[in-house]
Amino acid sequence: MKQREISAAVIRRLPRYYRYLGELLQNDVVRISSKELSNRMRVTASQIRQDLNNFGGFGQQGYGYNVEYLHNEIGKILGLDVQHNMIIIGAGNLGQALANYNFEKVGFHLIGIFDTNPRLKGVSVRGIEIYMMDMLDEFVATHQVDVVTLTVPKRQAVEIGHHLEKIGIKAIWNFAPTDLNVSENVCVKNVHLNESLMTLSYEYRAMHTQGEENGRD
Ligand code: NAI
């Protein structure tokens, strides 16, 4: 499949399509029209058609989409058809919570956890051992590490980011609330749960303000 330049907005919506289609697959749904998909996803049918047309459409006029095919193709576009090995650096509250979550479903296989706290040495989370940071370079040299999840305190994150680039890491899922300042050769995705909460706060307030205004009429 030939891929055109895809807008960031479309790429951001793909995981959601992937998730909904995965649920449909689990419920043995074979075909779905863009209208039905739009009802479930609360996105307009034309938005769905436009989004999927970016990748060649996948659907046949009047027949809807083949759910399994579409799910697989979106998975391929997102790179989920290949398994990625992941390590976590920072085995505190967040690092351990993430380690306990099963990201294998979307192709991310956790192979190691690293920390500096000697009390964590040899402890396992979901069967995966926590190593000390002085083992990191050797580990990366002897294992294929595709993605690093970074859950260390802010003040350590930038330095670790530089080090990760130096030892050849190409993708960082960064939870530390700071920019990592690595070169463009490293793909960084920052995650800020706070931002999502702030958006919720905004929408919550807007809803209430609207309710109050309606009440006033
Ligand atoms: P925590 O203090 O429980 O865990 C941090 C861990 O990092 C500790 O186990 C510590 O020993 C380890 N660590 C410290 N320096 C290290 C180094 N140089 N190398 C390896 N490990 C090192 O903190 P928590 O609550 O787990 O938060 C971790 C990070 O995630 C913080 O930066 C926090 O601000 C951030 N965070 C981000 C969220 C988000 O939405 N992006 C949400 C919650 C936390």
Side-chain angles (χ1 to χ4, degrees):
M1 185 187 13
K2 196 156 175 280
Q3 223 169 285
R4 283 184 274 153
E5 186 93 1
I6 314 288
S7 80
V10 177
I11 300 291
R12 269 200 304 275
R13 285 195 286 273
L14 288 184
R16 199 154 166 256
Y17 287 120
Y18 187 77
R19 181 162 54 83
Y20 271 81
L21 289 161
E23 283 168 14
L24 290 171
L25 256 187
Q26 275 176 355
N27 293 326
D28 299 321
V29 178
V30 178
R31 282 196 170 275
I32 190 156
S33 65
S34 45
K35 187 156 187 306
E36 275 174 82
L37 193 57
S38 99
N39 286 342
R40 284 174 185 255
M41 292 186 62
R42 298 200 201 165
V43 182
T44 64
S46 87
Q47 169 97 81
I48 290 179
R49 280 192 298 269
Q50 263 177 39
D51 282 353
L52 300 182
N53 275 341
N54 277 292
F55 312 102
F58 303 128
Q60 265 177 291
Q61 195 76 39
Y63 284 93
Y65 298 105
N66 176 314
V67 173
E68 186 175 5
Y69 178 73
L70 188 53
H71 185 256
N72 288 344
E73 291 302 310
I74 292 180
K76 281 188 212 162
I77 291 163
L78 292 171
L80 305 178
D81 54 331
V82 263
Q83 183 174 278
H84 301 96
N85 285 341
M86 180 165 83
I87 61 169
I88 293 176
I89 301 186
N93 291 313
L94 185 57
Q96 292 204 28
L98 291 171
N100 270 310
Y101 188 78
N102 184 3
F103 290 106
E104 320 252 321
K105 290 190 281 212
V106 282
F108 289 83
H109 177 50
L110 183 62
I111 57 170
I113 310 172
F114 291 83
D115 204 288
T116 43
N117 182 348
R119 275 187 297 174
L120 293 171
K121 189 173 181 180
V123 172
S124 291
V125 182
R126 212 162 47 87
I128 296 132
E129 191 172 339
I130 302 177
Y131 303 100
M132 292 294 95
M133 277 299 269
D134 55 9
M135 298 282 293
L136 179 72
D137 293 12
E138 192 192 328
F139 190 94
V140 169
T142 52
H143 295 75
Q144 174 158 344
V145 177
D146 303 304
V147 178
V148 172
T149 299
L150 197 54
T151 46
V152 294
K154 179 178 171 176
R155 62 186 177 282
Q156 275 83 21
V158 175
E159 196 188 322
I160 295 177
H162 282 304
H163 185 71
L164 291 174
E165 178 165 14
K166 211 168 78 190
I167 61 176
I169 296 296
K170 296 277 182 260
I172 304 176
W173 196 26
N174 175 40
F175 285 80
T178 182
D179 287 332
L180 293 183
N181 275 327
V182 287
S183 80
E184 63 203 12
N185 298 324
V186 183
C187 189
V188 178
K189 192 85 206 160
N190 296 309
V191 183
H192 299 294
L193 298 180
N194 281 350
E195 288 180 7
S196 175
L197 257 188
M198 286 179 211
T199 317
L200 178 68
S201 158
Y202 170 82
E203 287 174 9
Y204 179 72
R205 196 165 85 163
M207 198 171 78
H208 276 254
T209 315
Q210 208 174 39
E212 278 162 23
E213 278 170 5
N214 289 345
R216 237 180 269 139
D217 286 339

